[in-house]
Every structure is written in structure tokens, then in C-alpha cells.
């Protein structure tokens, strides 16, 4: 199947619209076009770090413990009252590309961090548990970036993935010691300019063409987590409508523990849509991203031969009831009713 591309001066003339960031200027056209690359509610539910912590809680053990706070002051009060253990990371809820992250190797370090002016987030922050024994690649911390597409409330997982690795060798957090970004932050933006000790540029990402074949246990674990995530966020997503093809490409980041016999996939965060530029303008990384986008368009716009590259995460979209979502009010106001809708989903699944 082929996609004929033609630039239109007016969005209303298009059959398919792709916008990395939804635009109010094109809202009417996007609402009426046959195919559009966003599901109403998906970015608010999956990408917003504060709300994502609510989803993580509903996913239970499938995600690292996290909680959102309206301000650093509120976070500081929580730390003073709780008996925390282990290492932690504080995230600016609005930041991306490996910035707005502050690490603490121990509860004492976390208290000192919160009491200082180091955390300069102006608004909402997220406190997340730090995985201290992650899966490593050649002694470096490894993160899997997998690709999922939500079509309405149904979720599909892509066969390929990107292995993102730190430039510096990993060392477990030690109380009182600072955690270097290039040893603990797997984001490509943080590591792409680092140099190998032996000379030459470090490659922070490596494509995996068939994740299920290369890492079968980890792939199965990630699929289970995505199923839990899909069910947890279903009340926040607009249902599929007849004659309207709406889908959301999401980059989902996972850390796996170092237990090779029984690995656990820990959900870190989501990006809607993920950065497809990569750390290299040509070569295998660019070829992977190109193939990914071709397979997205082929499967979810044209309905072509790429179906075999996508695996359905759940047997069917959860039934959250006709009143679970209202486009009249939109996802922002709807989110206040998210908790009750999620409880209805959980109760129906238990039965």
C-alpha cells in the first residue's frame, strides 16, 4: 500500500493530519479529518508526569513508586513526614530531554536536596523510586524504549525497540555521593555528546529489530505492563468513533532489573509522540526510525502489510461505560472524574 503525500495550504483539505504537538489553530480540521495522529486525552493521561504517577499507582507493581506534588514545598513536607528507604529521583513535571532531574542516593540526601535550592522547578514535581539494580549492557545502565500505538482505547506494541545506554559505567548509588548524569540518565540527549574512553563518539542508542527474539522474557514482561497501563488509562481516552481514525504513537520507557531468570519490567515514563530524530542522521539508527514510521502509517493509516510488526496488548478495549469520557468538557475537566471511572474499570475486570 502507498501513501500519496501532498502539502495542503488548508488543513481542511487533507485526508490525514500529523502534528507532533496538537494545535488549537487546526482543531476544527483535526476533528473532521479521516485520520489524525492523536487520541483525545492520551497526551494528558500518558505524557504528563504528574498524572502519569496516578496511572503508575493503578498499575501496581508494574511501575516504580511515584507521587506528584504541586510544589517543592509540598514535596519537602512529605519527605519530612515519611520513612523513606533507598535512592530517589525528583522530576520536574514539565521537563523533557533528560533535564529537570535530581538524584538522591539515600533518604538523607533526598531531605538535603529538597531543603536546598537545587530543585528549581517552578511548579509540579514528581518523586520517583530509583531502581538500584538495573539491567546492564557492557557494564552500563540500559533502558528499553519501546513503541506503542493507541488506536482509540486499544493498544498495540511494536516488534522493534531502541536500547538506550549510559555513556559512563554504572555504579550503585552510595549515600552522600553525587550521581553522575552520564552514568544514571539513559536519555539520548544526555549521552550523545560523550566520548568513549578509547576515543571516538559514544553511541547512546542501538536498534533492536525484534525485541521478542532478542529478549523474550523482557518483552513478555513489558507487554504485561502495557496491558495494565492500557486498562488504567482507558477512562481518560476518547473512544473510537465510526469513520474517524484516531491513533497515538507513544514511546514507552522501561527499565528491567538484573534478574536474568525472572526479569521485571519497570515502567518509567511515556512520550507522545517520541523523538524520531535519533542521535545520528544516517545509518542503522535513522534506518530504524524510518522503518518505524513507515510501519505506523502502513498499519494505522493505510491498513497494509505491517500488521505482523504490531502485537495487540489486550484482547479488547476495556468497557468503561458510555459516560466515562465526554468530549464536550475535554480531558482537562474530565480528569477530575478519572478516579471513579478507573474504579469502575477495575471492578468490571475483577468480575
Amino acid at each position: 500500500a502507498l501513501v500519496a503525500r501532498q502539502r495542503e495550504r488548508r488543513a481542511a483539505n487533507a485526508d490525514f493530519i500529523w502534528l507532533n504537538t496538537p494545535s488549537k489553530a487546526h482543531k476544527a480540521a483535526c476533528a473532521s479529518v479521516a485520520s489524525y495522529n492523536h487520541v483525545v486525552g492520551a497526551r494528558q493521561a500518558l505524557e504528563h508526569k504528574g498524572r502519569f504517577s496516578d496511572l503508575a499507582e493503578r498499575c501496581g507493581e508494574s511501575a516504580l513508586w511515584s507521587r506528584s506534588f504541586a510544589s517543592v514545598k509540598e514535596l519537602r513536607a512529605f519527605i519530612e513526614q515519611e520513612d523513606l528507604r533507598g535512592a530517589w529521583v525528583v522530576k520536574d513535571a514539565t521537563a523533557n530531554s533528560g533535564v529537570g532531574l535530581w538524584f538522591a542516593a539515600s533518604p538523607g540526601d533526598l531531605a538535603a536536596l529538597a531543603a536546598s535550592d537545587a530543585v528549581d522547578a517552578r511548579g509540579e514535581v514528581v518523586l520517583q523510586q530509583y531502581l538500584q539494580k538495573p539491567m546492564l549492557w557492557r557494564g552500563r545502565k540500559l533502558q528499553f524504549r519501546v513503541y506503542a500505538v493507541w488506536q482509540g482505547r486499544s493498544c498495540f506494541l511494536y516488534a522493534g525497540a531502541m536500547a538506550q545506554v549510559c555513556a559512563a559505567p554504572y555504579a550503585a548509588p552510595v549515600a552522600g555521593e553525587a550521581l553522575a548524569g552520564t552514568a544514571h540518565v539513559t536519555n539520548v540527549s544526555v549521552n550523545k555528546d560523550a566520548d568513549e574512553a578509547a576515543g571516538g563518539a559514544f553511541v547512546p542508542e542501538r536498534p533492536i529489530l525484534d525485541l521478542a527474539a532478542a529478549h523474550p522474557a523482557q518483552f513478555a514482561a513489558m507487554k504485561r505492563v502495557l496491558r495494565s497501563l492500557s486498562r488504567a488509562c482507558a477512562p481518560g481516552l476518547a473512544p473510537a468513533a465510526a469513520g474517524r481514525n484516531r491513533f497515538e504513537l507513544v514511546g514507552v520507557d522501561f527499565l528491567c532489573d538484573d534478574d536474568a531468570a525472572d526479569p521485571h519490567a519497570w515502567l518509567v515514563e511515556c512520550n507522545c509522540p517520541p523523538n524520531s530524530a535519533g542521535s545520528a542522521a544516517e545509518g542503522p539508527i535513522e534506518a530504524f526510525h524510518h522503518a518505524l514510521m513507515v510501519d505506523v502509517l502502513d498499519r494505522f493509516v493505510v491498513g497494509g502489510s505491517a500488521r505482523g510488526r504490531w502485537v495487540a496488548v489486550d484482547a479488547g478495549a476495556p468497557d468503561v461505560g458510555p459516560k466515562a469520557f465526554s468530549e464536550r468538557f475535554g480531558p482537562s475537566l474530565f480528569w477530575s472524574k478519572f478516579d471513579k471511572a478507573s474504579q469502575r474499570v477495575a471492578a468490571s475486570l475483577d468480575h
Side-chain angles (χ1 to χ4, degrees), residues 87-147:
W88 298 87
V89 57
V90 178
K91 299 181 177 183
D92 183 335
T94 62
N96 287 300
S97 300
V99 300
L101 299 173
W102 299 272
F103 294 93
S106 68
D109 294 336
L110 179 61
L113 174 67
S116 70
D117 295 328
V119 181
D120 56 1
R122 296 182 178 180
E124 190 174 2
V125 294
V126 174
L127 176 65
Q128 188 175 58
Q129 182 184 9
Y130 186 78
L131 183 63
Q132 299 190 56
K133 294 183 178 180
M135 184 176 176
L136 303 180
W137 177 84
R138 297 182 181 177
R140 294 176 168 92
K141 184 178 177 180
L142 166 67
Q143 171 179 281
F144 291 100
R145 161 67 61 84
V146 303
Y147 300 89

Side-chain angles (χ1 to χ4, degrees), residues 13 64 93 114 123 136 154 160 162 189 204 217-218 281:
N13 294 335
L64 295 169
L136 303 180
S154 298
M162 194 68 74
S189 300
Q218 287 80 5

